Amino acid sequence: METLQKIAVPLAAIAAFLAVWELIVWANGWPNYVMASPTDLPAAYVRFWELFLVMGWQTLWRTVLGLGLAVIFGTLLGMVMGFSRLAREALYPLLVGFNAVPKATLVPVLALLFIGQHDFNTVLMAFLISFFPIAVSVGIGLSTLEPEYRDILRALGASRFTIFRKIALPKTLPEFFGALKVSVTLAFIGTNLVEIVSPHGRGLGALFKSGETNGDYPLMFAVLIALAFLGIVLYYAVVLLERIFAGWAERPQG
Amino acid sequence: MNNLIEIKGVSHAYRTRSGPLPVLDNLNVTVPQDEFCAVVGPSGCGKSTLTRLVSGLMKPDRGEVWLHGERVTSPRKTVGMAFQNPVMLEWRTILENVMLPLEIVAPQMKRAEAEARACHLLEMVGLKGFEAKRPSELSGGMRQRASLCRAIVHRPDVLIMDEPFGALDNFTREDLWQTMRDLRAAEPFTCVLITHDLRESVFLGDQVIVLSGRPARTQYVLDVDLPADRTIDILYTPKATEMLHVLRDQIRIAQGRDGGH
Ligand SMILES: Nc1ncnc2c1ncn2[C@@H]1O[C@H](COP(=O)(O)OP(=O)(O)O)[C@@H](O)[C@H]1O
Ligand SMILES: [Mg+2]
């Protein structure tokens, strides 16, 4: 009953959203070269289903790879900042500044630096845009660890590494997953940004671009919906991982 | 009886932005094996600092700390610690929390053996049936009981407690005093207890040390010659009341308020 509700309620919300969309298009009498309506979409999916699978897979693996790199690099950077005050003070302004730079400006820079390396550029952008929240959350999580937590093991002569593995790391997991939920969306945006902007790109972003070039509005909207779907899948994959590895942090609901 | 803890001429100062802050001044304390030493003193006088020095978490500027005839220069596995905050690891069950020190001190110990030891202690403090619960499912008093189990699960020579019952209500606190007494009757260990509750110090202590205001010196040592198998009622005997009076006066002096004005 409860699981049924958990699935049915969001599905109903999505159906309502599509209905309102259809209604607005119909009420305004927009032709599909101004604004496509949901009923235009199935035809686009049927016509291009192979392209959707191929391009969707490209977008997916680049996003996941970029995010994976961001997790590794962000965690390492967060550890450095969490354990060393000097590193924290040195790196923080630099990171904030880097994060503030609009990533769209990096696309031409990367394109010039690594000409023709479309896969590489895309993964790199997904990585660049998404490591910041992870680094910050791990850094803050480690540096704000209450001394008493450390002391219960330190008083027994445990090594720094043991304290990190048994206390600091698991204690930081909820913050880490909080950041990962933000990062996964960012990485996805980064991937699509490069796919859309680069000439001769690949992935769903490029498919969107080709829809635009050909004036195929139903295709463009079909891509947007596919992107939304992929984004949801990625996000809930992170939620699932969080349940598994940091489920203890969920307060029992009273 | 040999002295298990010897604190000889210990002085310590923290380096702060506004210069050194002397906290302990030529402190001398000895605790015989299996005795219970309660330490009271004004807030901020250096009691927590004392626990960190005895456990080897910090080194004193001057003087020496000896445990079991060995000079303490770094943390050692034969010490157990409990704090005012029971610091349970939320990602572990109560049982796994209690077993934590064994993973450090006796990594070669079989899991079943470690579990049996932890379960035994949990049963002794009245937490049987809560082994698989998460810390967030327990009350503050129950968490503190689990914290005590964790502090002694590896059979330390010395248990150092820094106001472990300070955040609990009065009845829970008295329950825990009795739990503490029962634990020590079952397997004796030497205790240092920091407290701000004079009744607690008299109920549990074999000696009560009153520290002066900061920088702390040993201002007064009270020998608690009450029988070992005490009940809460003993606090209402004339002898205990007399002791509480003496301690109260000493605290007043330590706070720099002679004569109770
Ligand atoms: N790490 C530290 N650095 C500087 N000052 C400290 C530090 N720890 C404690 N102090 C100061 O030393 C004094 C004694 O602290 P503490 O030993 O915690 O006192 P108590 O436990 O008796 O209340 C306090 O005034 C406190 O502010
Ligand atoms: Mg204190």
Side-chain angles (χ1 to χ4, degrees):
Chain A
M1 185 61 218
E2 214 169 278
T3 40
L4 188 72
Q5 192 179 341
K6 264 198 184 133
I7 297 168
V9 169
L11 279 184
I14 291 171
F17 169 77
L18 292 176
V20 170
W21 177 6
E22 185 78 40
L23 195 72
I24 291 175
V25 174
W26 175 78
N28 286 296
W30 285 325
N32 71 7
Y33 53 83
V34 173
M35 172 96 180
S37 63
T39 42
D40 296 331
L41 302 184
Y45 286 125
V46 169
R47 198 143 67 93
F48 298 111
W49 68 272
E50 231 168 332
L51 272 179
F52 271 100
L53 284 185
V54 173
M55 299 299 199
W57 167 244
Q58 297 231 342
T59 300
L60 183 65
W61 77 254
R62 289 155 161 181
T63 304
V64 171
L65 183 58
L67 184 67
L69 293 174
V71 166
I72 295 169
F73 179 74
T75 306
L76 289 176
L77 197 64
M79 279 166 67
V80 171
M81 292 201 300
F83 288 129
S84 152
R85 220 175 101 186
L86 190 71
R88 191 154 61 241
E89 282 166 4
L91 292 176
Y92 216 79
L94 208 62
L95 274 176
V96 172
F98 178 80
N99 191 49
V101 171
K103 295 302 172 294
T105 59
L106 289 183
V107 177
V109 176
L110 292 182
L112 280 176
L113 263 177
F114 310 104
I115 298 171
Q117 306 283 325
H118 183 60
D119 280 342
F120 181 80
N121 282 346
T122 316
V123 171
L124 188 61
M125 179 62 79
F127 159 74
L128 286 176
I129 203 171
S130 64
F131 79 86
F132 180 79
I134 296 174
V136 170
S137 75
V138 172
I140 290 179
L142 293 181
S143 64
T144 55
L145 183 72
E146 294 92 328
E148 290 143 321
Y149 275 87
R150 244 180 306 121
D151 284 349
I152 48 175
L153 284 196
R154 218 158 71 80
L156 295 169
S159 69
R160 273 175 78 100
F161 176 70
T162 306
I163 295 172
F164 174 73
R165 190 165 53 88
K166 296 223 182 251
I167 309 265
L169 187 73
K171 185 143 176 62
T172 312
L173 275 183
E175 279 102 340
F176 169 82
F177 277 106
L180 196 59
K181 283 189 215 162
V182 177
S183 287
V184 69
T185 313
L186 288 176
F188 194 57
I189 291 171
T191 309
N192 282 289
L193 182 67
V194 178
E195 287 174 355
I196 293 172
V197 176
S198 348
H200 318 298
R202 270 165 282 167
L204 285 176
L207 193 58
F208 177 84
K209 183 83 181 169
S210 80
E212 191 188 0
T213 319
N214 299 317
D216 190 340
Y217 287 75
L219 174 60
M220 286 168 68
F221 279 96
V223 172
L224 291 187
I225 298 297
L227 283 175
F229 175 74
L230 212 53
I232 292 173
V233 169
L234 281 168
Y235 183 85
Y236 280 100
V238 173
V239 171
L240 183 70
L241 288 176
E242 181 182 30
R243 283 267 164 77
I244 295 171
F245 292 107
W248 52 267
E250 262 178 60
R251 295 265 146 224
Q253 278 167 4
Chain B
M1 235 191 297
N2 59 329
N3 287 332
L4 193 100
I5 306 175
E6 283 182 274
I7 298 169
K8 300 180 189 166
V10 163
S11 300
H12 194 77
Y14 286 110
R15 275 153 288 277
T16 65
R17 247 165 287 156
S18 49
L21 176 75
V23 173
L24 301 179
D25 179 25
N26 193 23
L27 200 63
N28 290 288
V29 177
T30 54
V31 186
Q33 174 144 16
D34 296 341
E35 277 221 349
F36 197 116
C37 172
V39 179
V40 297
S43 175
C45 76
K47 302 183 295 296
S48 296
T49 307
L50 180 64
T51 64
R52 298 175 66 78
L53 292 174
V54 175
S55 61
L57 285 170
M58 269 173 22
K59 265 179 263 178
D61 290 344
R62 268 188 294 121
E64 297 172 2
V65 177
W66 291 70
L67 284 186
H68 242 337
E70 282 176 54
R71 176 131 182 230
V72 175
T73 52
S74 61
R76 41 186 57 225
K77 299 183 189 314
T78 55
V79 169
M81 284 194 92
F83 307 94
Q84 173 164 6
N85 178 350
V87 277
M88 291 279 116
L89 311 183
E90 303 91 338
W91 55 93
R92 288 172 169 241
T93 62
I94 293 300
L95 182 67
E96 289 166 342
N97 263 286
V98 173
M99 285 161 63
L100 179 70
L102 293 174
E103 295 165 24
I104 312 295
V105 172
Q108 73 293 342
M109 192 180 214
K110 289 203 184 57
R111 195 182 155 90
E113 202 182 328
E115 253 181 51
R117 166 79 181 144
C119 284
H120 169 70
L121 286 177
L122 284 171
E123 187 175 352
M124 282 205 58
V125 303
L127 284 182
K128 192 179 168 65
F130 290 89
E131 294 87 351
K133 292 256 191 286
R134 299 271 163 188
S136 59
E137 299 173 89
L138 268 60
S139 69
M142 290 158 106
R143 278 204 286 271
Q144 197 52 263
R145 286 171 196 275
S147 163
L148 282 181
C149 292
R150 183 178 60 196
I152 60 171
V153 71
H154 55 299
R155 300 180 199 275
D157 295 337
V158 188
L159 174 61
I160 302 168
M161 294 175 282
D162 191 354
E163 308 198 8
F165 315 127
L168 305 175
D169 68 82
N170 255 321
F171 302 122
T172 311
R173 198 182 298 173
E174 288 179 3
D175 276 349
L176 271 151
W177 296 349
Q178 296 169 64
T179 302
M180 192 71 231
R181 173 201 62 200
D182 297 343
L183 281 175
R184 290 187 64 238
E187 40 182 88
F189 43 84
T190 313
C191 264
V192 177
L193 170 77
I194 309 292
T195 176
H196 54 234
D197 184 335
L198 297 181
R199 295 168 72 239
E200 180 171 305
S201 72
V202 169
F203 180 77
L204 287 172
D206 296 311
Q207 58 170 328
V208 180
I209 294 180
V210 181
L211 296 182
S212 69
R214 197 177 65 229
R217 282 170 296 102
T218 321
Q219 177 181 300
Y220 187 82
V221 180
L222 176 79
D223 231 346
V224 185
D225 56 346
L226 298 172
D229 54 341
R230 302 168 197 176
T231 61
I232 298 291
D233 292 334
I234 210 162
L235 289 172
Y236 301 96
T237 59
K239 206 165 168 185
T241 312
E242 172 63 28
M243 285 189 236
L244 286 169
H245 263 291
V246 171
L247 288 175
R248 166 56 54 210
D249 282 339
Q250 288 296 329
I251 290 288
R252 221 174 266 138
I253 296 168
Q255 288 174 320
R257 270 177 272 163
D258 288 272
H261 301 296

